[in-house]
Amino acid sequence: MSKLINAVKGTLLAGVLAGAGLAGYGYSQWQKIEHLTITPGEHPLFVVHKGETALQLAGRLSPELPLLHRRLWLKFHPELAAVRQGTYKLDDNTTLREALNTFVDGDVYRLNVTLVEGLRLSDWLGKLASAEYMEHELEGVSEAELAERLGAGHSKLEGLFLPETYTYTPGDSDYDVLERAYGHMQTFLQDAWENREPDLPVDSPYEALILASIIEKETGIAEERPLIASVFINRLRRGMRLQTDPTVIYGMGDDYDGNIRKRDLQANTPYNTYVIDGLPPTPIAMPSQEAIQAVLNPAKSKYYYFVAKGEGRHHFSRTLREHNNAVRRYILNR
């Protein structure tokens, strides 16, 4: 039965072609186009420009195919006419029909870039600068200029972008990605602030962001973040200095060589929390959602100190004597 149906289709198509005065085109030529493999070139991505037609695209993809044949073949495939502009990835051995179907579906090629928590804006800019198929608008743009373009309200942008994996299409720019990351952070931070624990010693969402960035740098262990937050919250409530090394390192800038010396702990910089009271003036890194939530909903504890005990974990202490003992046990003896 299927053989009979195919024979009928072939006869009908031949009749149509003959009626169009193109009997020489032939059923075999039709079948050849139906299974024709495209030649998009060496570049793996193919751009459909605004205003391009299926006929033009067929010519670009299969330049060896005569215009008359392309035109006639597309006449019998009106469903392939509504192509959409964009950048597409065409696999090897894709047929002309499959490629045009992809353009009609609008299945544009998407890439991902992961912007990691705990890193600085300079690290993120370096990551974006190396992202493939991304336009680079921010080369030579100062941080203050970028802040003005974003409408950030802060000339220092550290901490104002939400770490996550962002999807983009070829032709999107580094600014496009950062603008989304900035918007996501503003939305998340405002929602988290509205659902915070009452009576916290942070007076604004921005202060919460500053403290969250410190917590992000102090621990990579997710379950420790609320406890680390409780230590800093307890110290702020009591008027104690935070005395946290990551802020000292940030204040040292390019002078940091992997070591913190006594003179560094005594240096009078706005970020040296061994010298200043309260919080530093800005975040020191990009904090995660979890670090922000830890600040705004910290664990309940009576801890005022902690010290690293290895493998990224910490020992927590209530008193200075207990803390000094922990330092001897985990740091000095080691």
Side-chain angles (χ1 to χ4, degrees):
M1 179 65 72
S2 61
K3 290 183 178 179
L4 178 59
I5 293 173
N6 286 335
V8 171
K9 283 183 177 179
T11 302
L12 290 173
L13 178 59
V16 172
L17 294 173
L22 296 168
Y25 180 79
Y27 182 66
S28 62
Q29 181 65 35
W30 175 275
Q31 288 294 94
K32 180 180 178 182
I33 299 176
E34 285 287 299
H35 301 92
L36 181 65
T37 301
I38 62 172
T39 53
E42 296 181 0
H43 203 290
L45 300 184
F46 187 87
V47 179
V48 176
H49 301 288
K50 184 177 181 180
E52 275 195 295
T53 66
L55 182 63
Q56 291 170 325
L57 293 170
R60 285 175 56 197
L61 292 168
S62 302
E64 74 282 2
L65 190 62
L67 174 61
L68 186 61
H69 291 185
R70 278 184 269 133
R71 182 173 287 145
L72 184 61
W73 180 74
L74 285 168
K75 183 176 181 179
F76 286 90
H77 285 299
E79 73 279 4
L80 300 178
V83 294
R84 305 183 192 182
Q85 72 177 93
T87 303
Y88 301 85
K89 186 174 183 180
L90 301 177
D91 298 326
D92 293 338
N93 300 318
T94 298
T95 66
L96 176 60
R97 183 170 184 172
E98 289 170 342
L100 291 175
N101 264 323
T102 299
F103 303 157
V104 171
D105 292 341
D107 187 16
V108 295
Y109 183 52
R110 299 185 183 278
L111 302 100
N112 295 319
V113 59
T114 300
L115 302 177
V116 181
E117 65 273 8
L119 298 183
R120 300 181 182 184
L121 176 61
S122 58
D123 299 316
W124 279 24
L125 291 174
K127 177 78 171 180
L128 292 172
S130 64
E132 60 177 353
Y133 306 120
M134 183 179 287
E135 297 293 324
H136 302 296
E137 293 183 10
L138 298 179
E139 187 175 353
V141 175
S142 70
E143 189 171 349
E145 289 170 333
L146 176 57
E148 183 177 0
R149 187 171 174 183
L150 290 167
H154 296 275
S155 58
K156 187 77 172 172
L157 293 176
E158 204 76 83
L160 294 178
F161 304 92
L162 190 67
E164 62 182 37
T165 296
Y166 291 91
T167 299
Y168 67 96
T169 58
D172 287 348
S173 71
D174 43 12
Y175 176 77
D176 295 330
V177 175
L178 279 184
E179 185 179 39
R180 276 189 283 150
Y182 176 78
H184 288 188
M185 176 59 88
Q186 306 318 302
T187 299
F188 175 80
L189 182 60
Q190 189 58 43
D191 181 69
W193 178 257
E194 291 173 359
N195 292 280
R196 70 190 183 280
E197 177 186 302
D199 302 322
L200 292 172
V202 287
D203 297 330
S204 68
Y206 190 68
E207 286 193 358
L209 207 58
I210 294 172
L211 187 52
S213 73
I214 297 172
I215 292 166
E216 195 66 66
K217 295 298 291 184
E218 282 286 9
T219 182
I221 308 298
E223 61 268 25
E224 277 196 353
R225 288 186 182 118
L227 209 52
I228 294 281
S230 75
V231 171
F232 289 131
I233 292 293
N234 289 342
R235 293 178 75 90
L236 288 172
R237 282 176 171 156
R238 197 167 174 177
M240 298 172 65
R241 289 174 176 167
L242 296 184
Q243 297 184 323
T244 171
D245 291 353
T247 61
V248 177
I249 293 170
Y250 190 84
M252 292 172 67
D254 293 337
D255 292 334
Y256 178 64
D257 61 2
N259 296 305
I260 301 178
R261 300 168 181 82
K262 184 177 181 180
R263 65 174 182 270
D264 299 321
L265 297 178
Q266 296 173 341
N268 188 17
T269 77
Y271 291 90
N272 187 353
T273 51
Y274 287 84
V275 173
I276 67 169
D277 297 325
L279 297 167
T282 74
I284 60 170
M286 302 296 181
S288 62
Q289 296 182 38
E290 292 78 11
I292 295 170
Q293 290 287 16
V295 169
L296 297 177
N297 294 279
K300 306 295 183 184
S301 84
K302 296 182 180 180
Y303 295 132
Y304 289 88
Y305 306 90
F306 61 86
V307 63
K309 62 179 183 179
E311 298 182 351
R313 296 186 178 276
H314 295 83
H315 177 88
F316 295 85
S317 303
R318 298 183 182 186
T319 67
L320 182 58
R321 175 179 291 183
E322 183 184 346
H323 175 65
N324 288 337
N325 289 335
V327 170
R328 283 192 292 271
R329 177 180 177 185
Y330 293 109
I331 304 296
L332 300 183
N333 289 343
R334 185 174 61 191

